[in-house]
Amino acid sequence: MNIQPNCWNEYGQLKSVIVCSPSILDVPDQQTATDVQWEKAVRQKKARENHQIMIEAMEEEGVNVIDYSVHLSREELLLNEKLINRIFVRDLACVFGKKILPGAAGTSMRRPEYFQSHTLFQQWFDNMTFRLEVNNDLKALEYGDVMILNKDAILINVGIRTSIESVEALQDDLFKAGFSEIGVIDLPRRPDTMHLDMNCNVVGGKLFIGKSYMNYLPIQVIASKGFTYEMPEVFLKRHGFETEWTSDIKHTVADINFLNLNPETLLISTKANKSIFKNHSILKKKKLIEIEVDELEKGGGGIRCMTLPLERE
């Protein structure tokens, strides 16, 4: 894999990204969807069509898209293609600066895909780039709970799928990677707040958009020499972000789980509430590329959840 991982934010020009095509198993009815913690029944043929649309939209913007599942052995694929959550690659690992750190599944249903993808990443990248041994100290860490704000600061939610113990185990690696502050927020434990990126996102390097209630939750700010507490608006402003707190988010996944392709362009769902993107002067100026991902979103995740950036300029 001739790629040098490099990500210091969520909005630089996206050059390389990992994805994974949908499972071969349909989720046939609402009861099954509820049992596996999905929102609705899913037809995987339609989901695969949606996924291909997403891939093509990124490729048209010059992004190198890598489907990790095609690199698995036939034996591994026999299992992997039956894992319905495998499309949500964001949770598996994260590039912090020039290092990739592995995640740890917050539910046993997802452990096989973490194991398989991490084994593959270990083959692709050297030991200094992909720190697999970090995983030994993690209890639960899904990277949908992590947002890289800039070269100095990272925001992490400790909630249903990410433990504070894992953040504590990871923090020295984040400081060594070059970051100086880790903001820790604790979102309510509900299905619609499963991950941080179901509640907020960044638009370019200047605007943080989030659900209104988040502004009431204090952030623990961890630095190498200790910690303090700040309210979200103060923490974000100190790191160069204006804030847009909105109550217009009706569909958690479609509205907020978009992907920055570059500082000026967002890849969003056709189901997104467009009024959100008209309420702020910065949002009004962005180029919006809309794609149909309805069938994929029924699994409880959106475009950001289904993309793992490896390189951003």
Side-chain angles (χ1 to χ4, degrees):
M1 187 61 61
N2 189 25
I3 289 175
Q4 299 300 318
N6 187 51
C7 285
W8 295 94
N9 56 54
E10 301 282 342
Y11 49 84
Q13 176 74 50
L14 184 61
K15 295 179 65 179
S16 298
V17 67
I18 290 175
V19 300
C20 186
S21 55
S23 169
I24 63 172
L25 296 182
D26 287 342
V27 178
D29 51 53
Q30 185 57 51
Q31 184 58 55
T32 304
T34 301
D35 291 340
V36 298
Q37 300 183 46
W38 277 26
E39 290 184 3
K40 297 178 182 178
V42 170
R43 298 164 297 154
Q44 295 293 14
K45 180 180 179 181
K46 179 64 174 176
R48 286 190 288 273
E49 292 171 359
N50 281 185
H51 198 261
Q52 186 59 34
I53 289 171
M54 183 182 75
I55 290 173
E56 290 172 359
M58 290 190 288
E59 289 178 337
E60 287 174 7
E61 293 296 311
V63 181
N64 175 27
V65 182
I66 304 157
D67 185 337
Y68 87 79
S69 67
V70 305
H71 297 274
L72 296 172
S73 69
R74 181 57 190 163
E75 183 179 72
E76 292 169 322
L77 192 58
L78 288 173
L79 169 62
N80 190 268
E81 65 186 3
K82 297 180 178 69
L83 303 175
I84 61 171
N85 289 305
R86 72 179 192 157
I87 54 174
F88 302 129
V89 295
R90 175 73 62 156
D91 301 323
L92 303 177
C94 185
V95 178
F96 293 98
K98 296 179 182 291
K99 295 183 183 296
I100 307 176
L101 299 180
T107 176
S108 60
M109 187 177 182
R110 299 204 62 185
R111 286 175 189 158
E113 63 197 89
Y114 281 69
F115 173 75
Q116 289 187 331
S117 64
H118 292 170
T119 302
L120 190 61
F121 298 164
Q122 194 172 30
Q123 297 170 14
W124 287 355
F125 305 107
D126 61 47
N127 291 333
M128 292 299 295
T129 302
F130 182 61
R131 293 283 312 284
L132 184 60
E133 65 273 17
V134 170
N135 193 269
N136 296 333
D137 298 320
L138 302 181
K139 292 186 176 180
L141 175 57
E142 298 189 351
Y143 285 106
D145 274 324
V146 174
M147 213 158 275
I148 303 175
L149 299 177
N150 53 37
K151 287 190 174 184
D152 293 318
I154 297 165
L155 182 62
I156 303 179
N157 169 51
V158 291
I160 297 176
R161 296 292 182 87
T162 295
S163 70
I164 186 62
E165 292 84 2
S166 291
V167 175
E168 292 168 348
L170 194 69
Q171 64 187 49
D172 286 345
D173 287 281
L174 298 182
F175 295 142
K176 289 176 183 177
F179 299 90
S180 57
E181 287 189 352
I182 304 166
V184 178
I185 195 167
D186 190 347
L187 301 184
R189 269 69 164 171
R190 304 192 308 260
D192 65 325
T193 58
M194 181 182 295
H195 286 141
L196 182 66
D197 63 9
M198 296 171 72
N199 295 264
C200 62
N201 213 329
V202 295
V203 181
K206 296 181 179 180
L207 182 65
F208 181 97
I209 182 170
K211 293 182 180 179
S212 299
Y213 82 90
M214 288 183 64
N215 196 32
Y216 295 88
L217 304 178
I219 290 176
Q220 181 184 18
V221 183
I222 303 172
S224 58
K225 296 183 179 179
F227 68 88
T228 185
Y229 289 93
E230 290 180 339
M231 296 307 289
E233 198 148 346
V234 175
F235 174 74
L236 292 162
K237 184 177 181 180
R238 192 160 54 78
H239 287 290
F241 286 88
E242 293 183 36
T243 51
E244 173 78 0
W245 305 110
T246 178
S247 57
D248 288 339
I249 298 171
K250 308 302 181 185
H251 190 292
T252 292
V253 170
D255 292 348
I256 204 74
N257 202 258
F258 53 79
L259 178 70
N260 288 264
L261 292 177
N262 57 56
E264 306 302 326
T265 308
L266 304 179
L267 187 64
I268 71 170
S269 167
T270 53
K271 289 179 65 178
N273 180 3
K274 305 307 183 298
S275 66
I276 294 172
F277 300 95
K278 299 176 182 178
N279 293 338
H280 195 284
S281 59
I282 291 177
L283 284 167
K284 291 177 181 178
K285 298 175 182 178
K286 298 303 176 185
K287 176 184 176 183
L288 303 179
I289 299 177
E290 298 181 46
I291 58 172
E292 181 186 342
V293 284
D294 297 14
E295 202 70 14
L296 295 165
E297 289 171 341
K298 293 176 182 178
I303 297 169
R304 187 182 189 275
C305 295
M306 294 181 285
T307 50
L308 195 174
L310 286 179
E311 292 181 291
R312 286 188 183 274
E313 288 184 351

